[in-house]
Amino acid sequence: MRAAAPPDAWPMFRGDSALSGIAESSLPENPKVLWRFEAGDAITSTAAIADGMVYVGSDDEHLYALDLATGALRWKFKAEGFVRSSPTVTGDFVIFGDDHGVVRALDRRTGALRWAFSTDGEVISSANVIGDRIIVGSYDSFVYALRRDSGELLWKTETEGRVHATPAISDRYAESAFVIVSGCDEFLHVLDAGDGRSAQKVAMGSVAGASPVIAGERTYIGTYGNTVRGLNWRAGETLWTFTDPDREFPYMSSAVVYEGLVILGGRDKRVRALDADTGKSVWEFATKGRVDGSPVIVGKRIFVGSQDGVLYALDAKSGKELWRFEAGGPISASPAVAAGRLVIGTEDGLLYCFGEKHDESAGPR
C-alpha cells in the first residue's frame, strides 16, 4: 500500500511520514478561492491541516491557527524568529521550529506553549513523527529525537553539515524503522530510529536542501549539484543519476513518486518527470519562475507553485497544463491538501484556500 496523507488531514510537510506528497483527498476540476488570510510577512513553508484547523508559519515570527472552513483566526503564537519550518500536528500538539533554533510544542487547540527545546542552529526543516517521538534536524548539524509529550532529548546524531531537509521515516509503525535525512555534508544518512545510530551513509556528490521521498526501499532526491538521484536506502546503493547537460542549477523541490514517475521542480523554472527505474526524462513543463515548492499528487493531477506567482495543476502522466491560478506573489511554499481543500501561501504573505465553491443563490444543497 502506498504512503499517503489521510483524506481529512495533512498533518506534516509532504502529508505523511514517508514524505510522499500524495493526497487521498479529492479536489474539484476547477478549484475556486474560498478564502484568503493575510499574514504580516512571507509564507514560505507548507501549512498543516487537521480537525478543521489550518496551521501555518510566517516570516513575521508567528505561527497562525485558522479555521479551515472560513479562514478565521483562532489563535497566533509569537516565536523568536522566522517560522519557515512547516508545522507538524501530532496528538494534542502542533510542533514547529524557528530560525533561532528553538523547537516548540503548542496545544493545537489553544496555542498554549507546552514545551520548548533549543538547538544551536536554525531549524528550517520540519518535525517528523514516529510513535511518541519527533525527529527534527537543525543547522547545528544534528538530528534530534525528542519525546513528543515533554520535549525530552532521547538521542541526537551529528552529521557533517547543516540539516536543511525534513527527515523521512521508513515505516512509522514498524518495530525497526529508519530515519532518512539529507543535508549539507553531501551524504544521505540512514539512521536507526530507536537510537540514532548510522545504518547507511550514501555519498550524493553534492549538498541537498530538498527532503528525500521514500518509496519502499528506494528514495529519490534532488541536490544543489544539478542532479537527481535514485537510491536504494536499505542497501546504500545509487541506482541512477539524472543530470541536465544543458543547464546547471540546484534542486530545492522535494519529489513525489507517481505510477513509475519521479516528479519534482527545479531552479531552471521547470517541473520534470523522470522514469523511477532509470532516471530518464519523460516530460518537462516550463514555468516563468524557479520551482522551489514541492509538487503534490491529487488523483491524477499535480499541483505545484512557482516563483512566477502561479499555482499550476498538471496531468501527472503527460505534464499537460490543466488549470492555473494567478496568485501574483512568488510561491515557494508547497500545497497542503485535505478535506476537499488545497491551502498554499505566497511570499507576499497571503494564504489561499481552494475548493468547491457552491452557488448560494441556488438554495440549499
Side-chain angles (χ1 to χ4, degrees):
M1 181 180 294
R2 69 178 185 173
D8 60 348
W10 191 270
M12 64 182 70
F13 175 63
R14 310 300 287 146
D16 59 80
S17 59
L19 308 186
S20 74
I22 297 173
E24 285 294 340
S25 175
S26 61
L27 287 172
E29 182 177 351
N30 295 295
K32 304 296 183 183
V33 176
L34 303 181
W35 54 259
R36 73 178 198 175
F37 174 82
E38 187 170 355
D41 209 330
I43 297 172
T44 59
S45 59
T46 303
I49 302 172
D51 294 332
M53 296 273 283
V54 178
Y55 305 90
V56 69
S58 169
D59 280 6
D60 67 6
E61 303 186 352
H62 283 88
L63 183 79
Y64 294 94
L66 311 170
D67 184 275
L68 177 61
T70 66
L73 179 67
R74 295 279 190 88
W75 55 256
K76 62 181 180 180
F77 182 91
K78 178 69 164 60
E80 296 177 11
F82 299 154
V83 181
R84 292 174 175 169
S85 72
S86 297
T88 298
V89 179
T90 172
D92 294 328
F93 303 96
V94 55
I95 296 167
F96 69 101
D98 66 28
D99 76 342
H100 283 205
V102 181
V103 181
R104 292 182 176 86
L106 310 181
D107 184 300
R108 64 186 178 93
R109 297 177 181 85
T110 67
L113 178 66
R114 294 307 185 199
W115 56 258
F117 179 89
S118 293
T119 76
D120 292 325
E122 296 179 39
V123 177
I124 303 297
S125 61
S126 303
N128 210 327
V129 181
I130 178 167
D132 65 349
R133 290 162 287 163
I134 66 165
I135 310 293
V136 65
S138 168
Y139 267 28
D140 65 8
S141 81
F142 283 93
V143 180
Y144 295 88
L146 308 175
R147 195 172 300 282
R148 182 187 64 185
D149 295 346
S150 66
E152 173 192 358
L153 177 64
L154 300 176
W155 56 257
K156 65 178 184 178
T157 298
E158 187 172 14
T159 69
E160 297 176 16
R162 298 180 301 181
V163 180
H164 183 102
T166 297
I169 294 175
S170 62
D171 187 345
R172 63 179 299 189
Y173 301 108
E175 291 184 5
S176 179
F178 294 92
V179 174
I180 301 173
V181 63
S182 56
C184 294
D185 61 355
E186 303 189 5
F187 287 93
L188 184 82
H189 297 270
V190 181
L191 310 176
D192 187 293
D195 57 18
R197 293 183 181 180
S198 178
Q200 293 287 354
K201 185 177 176 182
V202 189
M204 294 193 297
S206 179
V207 301
S211 301
V213 56
I214 298 175
E217 294 191 348
R218 293 186 182 184
T219 187
Y220 303 93
I221 188 169
T223 75
Y224 276 98
N226 188 30
T227 61
V228 182
R229 293 179 180 269
L231 307 115
N232 183 312
W233 60 264
R234 191 178 293 277
E237 298 175 346
T238 298
L239 304 175
W240 52 258
T241 300
F242 169 84
T243 301
D244 189 324
D246 298 323
R247 295 183 293 271
E248 292 188 7
F249 56 91
Y251 291 92
M252 293 294 293
S253 170
S254 298
V256 65
V257 182
Y258 174 78
E259 294 192 359
L261 298 177
V262 177
I263 303 166
L264 75 168
R267 287 195 161 177
D268 63 341
K269 305 179 182 181
R270 284 166 169 76
V271 183
R272 53 173 39 84
L274 308 177
D275 185 286
D277 291 326
T278 66
K280 293 182 178 180
S281 179
V282 177
W283 58 255
E284 291 184 4
F285 175 82
T287 78
K288 295 181 180 179
R290 298 191 321 241
V291 185
D292 286 346
S294 305
V296 166
I297 291 287
V298 185
K300 297 180 180 180
R301 290 174 292 173
I302 303 162
F303 286 84
V304 63
S306 168
Q307 290 277 315
D308 64 11
V310 179
L311 175 66
Y312 297 91
L314 311 176
D315 179 83
K317 297 297 287 185
S318 68
K320 177 184 177 182
E321 182 180 325
L322 302 174
W323 172 90
R324 66 161 57 194
F325 174 79
E326 305 272 354
I331 301 174
S332 55
S334 304
V337 180
R341 306 289 176 92
L342 182 151
V343 176
I344 194 166
T346 70
E347 290 186 17
D348 55 7
L350 294 177
L351 187 75
Y352 290 92
C353 179
F354 299 85
E356 185 75 49
K357 196 165 190 176
H358 300 302
D359 183 1
E360 295 181 359
S361 65
R365 298 181 64 88

